[in-house]
Structure formats: C-alpha cells, structure tokens
Amino acid sequence: MQYGIIRMKTVFEKNIREQLISRIEQINEEKKSEWGKMNLIQMLKHNTYWNQWILGKNNQKYKQEFIGKIFGKIALKKMIKDEKPFDRNIPTSDQFKVKELNGNIESEKAEWISLINEYENFNNPNFIHDFFGKMTKDQIGILVYKHSDHHLRQFGI
C-alpha cells in the first residue's frame, strides 16, 4: 500500500507473508521476551487468537469501545502512517490477554502460520476493530503486519 512516497508493508503481499512465516519458523523454546509481560506461549496464543479475530473465525462479535469512537481513528492513523515499528509495551485489550502459561510451541506456530497464509484470500467485511473501529482493507493489512512484527521483535526475531 502506498501512503505518500513510502510503500508500507502489508500482510496482503505474498513476499511479506513469506517473510513473516520465515520469522515465525525461527521461534523455539530458547527465545525469551526482550520486553513486556508475555512468555513465549502467551505471545503465540495471543497472535493466533488475534489473527482469528481479524479473519472472522469462531463467530467473532465486533464492537468498537466508546473510547475508541473518540480517539480510535487518530490513533490508527498515527500507528500506520509510516514504517516505524509499534512502541514497546503498548496496551492490549483484555480479550487478547492470555493467562495460560503453557502450551505446545510447535502447534501454536503452525496455527499462526496457517492464519498468516489465509490473508491471501482475506474477506471479512464485518470486521470492526475494538478500538480503531471500521478499517479499510489496506489499513488492516498494514496493522496485521505491524502487529506480527511487533511480537516477533519482542522475542528477538
């Protein structure tokens, strides 16, 4: 996607999906968080659940929070206006906080990779971000890339 002169990375481009998948494949039990409160399995589960939400899996219900109706569009524009990665320790909605501390790393990686591949045929016209509200497909593609990149960088990948 093009904003001004900068070509933004988006999960809707095949080569970007391949880069993300290559990074996800590098995850192993030795990886430790460089910031934040999540352990590795929590980060993986967070990402699989978050991507299921974006993709419209599991009969998701979408509703924008009141505070998002006030500040959401401004925050979205700020977050996706350029190539700058997301800041460390940005807050997440309660629905995406994973309390489970244990799980199977390989199966979570496989699920995340499968979900990344599904963006090739993305079609979820009902999606409404809980804070940002209704988003264009281009905005979703950039947000998904930046969210994935954020968590991979969190674990040094």
Side-chain angles (χ1 to χ4, degrees):
M1 160 149 195
Q2 201 95 12
Y3 275 130
I5 300 174
I6 299 169
R7 182 155 175 80
M8 301 295 290
K9 291 181 181 175
T10 172
V11 76
F12 298 128
E13 290 182 11
K14 185 175 193 238
N15 66 320
I16 298 299
R17 286 192 307 276
E18 289 170 351
Q19 288 171 21
L20 288 172
I21 289 167
S22 175
R23 291 169 68 191
I24 294 167
E25 288 171 341
Q26 294 175 42
I27 295 171
N28 62 55
E29 59 195 28
E30 305 300 316
K31 296 292 182 184
K32 302 292 181 223
S33 176
E34 295 182 5
W35 74 82
K37 297 177 183 174
M38 292 184 197
N39 72 16
L40 183 62
I41 201 71
Q42 287 173 311
M43 182 275 284
L44 290 166
K45 287 179 177 286
H46 165 80
N47 277 283
T48 56
Y49 181 74
W50 190 85
N51 281 283
Q52 289 170 349
W53 178 65
I54 299 280
L55 290 161
K57 306 256 181 214
N58 305 325
N59 297 312
Q60 299 290 344
K61 301 219 181 334
Y62 299 113
K63 184 179 179 208
Q64 187 179 16
E65 297 170 4
F66 177 74
I67 192 79
K69 291 180 181 188
I70 298 169
F71 299 109
K73 291 296 177 200
I74 295 165
L76 175 64
K77 189 173 182 178
K78 182 178 185 235
M79 289 182 85
I80 67 170
K81 70 179 179 178
D82 57 29
E83 290 285 317
K84 182 179 178 266
F86 287 167
D87 293 336
R88 294 179 176 198
N89 300 311
I90 57 175
T92 191
S93 306
D94 286 343
Q95 70 173 326
F96 300 115
K97 291 180 180 172
V98 177
K99 292 177 178 54
E100 219 174 312
L101 299 174
N102 300 304
N104 184 303
I105 291 170
E106 292 306 315
S107 66
E108 290 296 332
K109 282 171 46 176
E111 175 68 14
W112 190 6
I113 288 168
S114 172
L115 293 165
I116 294 292
N117 280 320
E118 288 191 37
Y119 285 103
E120 180 177 4
N121 300 306
F122 178 79
N123 182 21
N124 185 5
N126 297 321
F127 179 71
I128 298 172
H129 192 278
D130 60 344
F131 186 74
F132 303 133
K134 195 79 173 149
M135 297 171 63
T136 67
K137 184 177 178 183
D138 288 340
Q139 290 170 329
I140 292 168
I142 295 166
L143 181 70
V144 171
Y145 168 77
K146 287 185 129 191
H147 181 265
S148 298
D149 173 68
H150 171 77
H151 287 292
L152 290 166
R153 284 185 310 102
Q154 180 182 11
F155 283 81
I157 303 167

